[in-house]
Amino acid sequence: MRMILGEDAFFEVAGEAAGGEEAVQLAERLKPDLVLMDIRMPGVDGLEATSRIKSLFPSIKIVMVTVSDDIADLFEAIKRGAQGYLLKNLSPSAWLDYLRAVSLDQAPMSRELATRILHEFLPSGAGTAGAPPARTKAQPQGRSASLTTPLTEREKEILERVAHGESNREVAQTLGISEHTVKNHLKNILQKLHLDNRVQLTRYAYEHGLMEWKK
């Protein structure tokens, strides 16, 4: 990992930990911008270490690094505050591109993960694990989205697309605006809602009736 990151001057390796407990201690001492966290470790595992680091330092971004693409593990890591995940068998260039995107708040969620997150918050029986529910606006508890969110119509439109797993570029192309404009809108959305990442945005979108399933 150090060799891969050393190929790009954008990154500087601040420290290395042998396990979850040491990772928490180093995060507290070094205050890094980004942590690469293994899921499987003896003692304090990566999931618990992620929870502890995020509770202490919410601004630190955490990316899970794993040999498995088990969606259950990845979903649990995201719920605990991780910003994303990398498979160890990806090419070095893919690593660098993804980690740079995470650092700049530009990395999209996978659509599979976005679907899994929404199913976590759907009422029992509203959908199955393999297919989304019928195309419909979600209005939990009968609330009106316009009365429960401070977002503008454009911000709500961008939020819905991001929550479905679209990248900044895809949102920009669909809406006919620049990626820079999308990024600025996302920054404003996160600040308005006091949220940290796209996973939290997805949950917010569903709970406030802003989600519309795409076929």
Side-chain angles (χ1 to χ4, degrees), residues 41-111:
M41 293 184 290
V44 176
D45 66 16
L47 297 175
E48 175 61 23
T50 294
S51 295
R52 288 167 59 178
I53 291 174
K54 294 298 289 188
S55 67
L56 293 170
F57 310 104
S59 64
I60 292 179
K61 295 179 173 66
I62 299 179
V63 171
M64 310 308 291
V65 183
T66 176
V67 296
S68 170
D69 59 357
D70 185 344
I71 193 65
D73 282 342
L74 301 176
F75 180 59
E76 182 63 26
I78 295 297
K79 286 204 298 181
R80 292 179 183 235
Q83 271 64 47
Y85 58 90
L86 273 172
L87 296 179
K88 291 182 179 180
N89 60 359
L90 292 177
S91 69
S93 61
W95 270 59
L96 295 173
D97 289 345
Y98 182 76
L99 292 176
R100 181 185 289 269
V102 170
S103 299
L104 299 174
D105 295 319
Q106 295 177 356
M109 286 188 299
S110 70
R111 285 173 173 76

Side-chain angles (χ1 to χ4, degrees), residues 187-205:
K187 181 178 179 181
N188 291 335
I189 291 169
L190 289 168
Q191 288 178 341
K192 283 184 178 182
L193 303 181
H194 306 290
L195 300 176
D196 297 321
N197 55 56
R198 293 177 184 238
V199 175
Q200 293 175 358
L201 286 178
T202 298
R203 178 172 184 169
Y204 179 93

Side-chain angles (χ1 to χ4, degrees), residues 119-163:
H119 277 291
E120 178 77 3
F121 306 118
L122 286 172
S124 178
T128 66
R135 180 183 175 90
T136 180
K137 282 284 186 178
Q139 292 285 1
Q141 300 177 1
R143 294 175 298 182
S144 169
S146 62
L147 297 179
T148 59
T149 176
L151 303 180
T152 65
E153 289 303 313
R154 173 62 90 184
E155 288 170 343
K156 287 188 286 187
E157 189 174 20
I158 290 174
L159 170 58
E160 181 184 349
R161 294 187 176 280
V162 167

